[in-house]
């Protein structure tokens, strides 16, 4: 599956933004999905994940309560709704997909970049103070 993130841009502190991840080839069906981000000068970090069923979601502590991950398998699209954006949210955001049918114990493995086999080009989000 090939992925493309979009929706990034320049926003002010406190604003909202919605990122999208679309599949240009293949489908999201039955795959765990996730968002990661990489801030300037920092390593790539986990943001949010959603299980292949869509029933379970996981968030980094830094975004919990502000960001929401969702998926629409009918349109092969995943979303990240960012509310109350902060300057520390400034980063390139990447979407990632797992191989189909995977289940992990513990589910915290969904927060690891190494779990995901497919990662697409990112979209830049800049939050001004």
């Amino acid at each position: 599956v090939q992925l493309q993130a979009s929706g990034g841009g320049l926003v002010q502190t406190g604003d909202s933004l919605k990122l999208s991840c679309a599949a240009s080839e293949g489908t999201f069906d039955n795959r765990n999905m996730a968002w990661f981000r990489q801030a300037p000068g920092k390593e790539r970090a986990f943001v949010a994940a959603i299980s292949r069923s869509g029933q379970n979601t996981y968030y980094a502590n830094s975004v919990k309560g502000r960001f929401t991950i969702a998926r629409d398998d009918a349109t092969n699209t995943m979303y990240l709704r960012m509310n109350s954006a902060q300057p520390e949210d400034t980063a390139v955001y990447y979407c990632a997909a797992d191989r189909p049918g995977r289940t992990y114990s513990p589910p915290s493995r969904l927060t690891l970049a190494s779990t995901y086999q497919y990662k697409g080009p990112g979209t830049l989000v800049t939050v001004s103070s």
Side-chain angles (χ1 to χ4, degrees), residues 105-121:
S105 180
S108 58
R109 282 191 59 184
L110 291 175
T111 68
L112 303 178
S114 58
T115 295
Y116 301 91
Q117 289 70 48
Y118 308 96
K119 304 179 183 71

Side-chain angles (χ1 to χ4, degrees), residues 5-7 11 21 31 41 46 58-59 61 68 72 75 81 87 89 95 113 117 120 127:
S6 63
V11 297
C21 175
R31 298 177 188 266
F46 169 75
Y58 307 88
Y59 296 94
N61 288 335
T68 302
D72 183 348
T75 60
R81 177 70 177 181
D89 295 324
C95 53
Q117 289 70 48
V127 184

Side-chain angles (χ1 to χ4, degrees), residues 17-96:
L17 194 65
K18 188 175 183 179
L19 306 184
S20 299
C21 175
S24 57
E25 292 185 13
T27 70
F28 289 172
D29 187 40
N30 206 26
R31 298 177 188 266
N32 301 307
M33 304 288 296
W35 288 95
F36 290 82
R37 67 185 180 185
Q38 188 164 15
K42 296 187 178 181
E43 295 186 352
R44 192 169 298 191
F46 169 75
V47 176
I50 186 166
S51 64
R52 56 190 177 93
S53 69
Q55 292 183 338
N56 299 301
T57 56
Y58 307 88
Y59 296 94
N61 288 335
S62 59
V63 307
K64 197 172 295 182
R66 299 189 297 121
F67 290 11
T68 302
I69 188 172
R71 63 189 296 160
D72 183 348
D73 289 350
T75 60
N76 282 324
T77 309
M78 178 176 65
Y79 302 98
L80 183 69
R81 177 70 177 181
M82 305 169 58
N83 292 331
S84 300
Q86 302 297 313
E88 53 265 34
D89 295 324
T90 294
V92 177
Y93 284 72
Y94 302 87
C95 53

